[in-house]
Amino acid sequence: VPMGVLSCMKYLMFIFNVLVFAGGTCLAGLGVWVAVDPAGFQGIVATRAVLSAGAWLLLVVGITLSLLGFLGCCGALRRSRPLLLL
């Protein structure tokens, strides 16, 4: 396999993992906003238990995606197979 192809794959994996990290951070931020903001979503969330659980679910999924995206970025830069497989 030519070296240019491997270098391109490395940077494409890095960019994809940065996007996953950014998406996870946005989801976590949205989950915190829905769970904490008393003026915005709190009236809706307080009346429906499903939306309250959804806020915590957004928070957990966002943190998980951020962690996986960060580990993927580290794995792509270091060419670490265990980190990429995680």
Side-chain angles (χ1 to χ4, degrees):
V1 177
M3 190 62 177
V5 173
L6 292 177
S7 179
C8 181
M9 288 296 293
K10 174 184 169 181
Y11 290 115
L12 283 175
M13 283 192 299
F14 177 77
I15 290 170
F16 176 73
N17 282 302
V18 165
L19 292 175
V20 170
F21 176 76
T25 304
C26 289
L27 280 178
L30 184 64
V32 168
W33 181 35
V34 170
V36 172
D37 188 18
F41 286 103
Q42 196 65 4
I44 299 170
V45 173
T47 58
R48 297 194 178 140
V50 173
L51 291 178
S52 178
W56 291 105
L57 183 66
L58 276 175
L59 187 60
V60 169
V61 169
I63 290 171
T64 304
L65 283 176
S66 295
L67 181 64
L68 287 176
F70 177 74
L71 291 176
C73 287
C74 291
L77 289 177
R78 295 176 145 210
R79 293 184 184 175
S80 173
R81 185 178 170 107
L83 282 177
L84 288 172
L85 289 176
L86 181 70

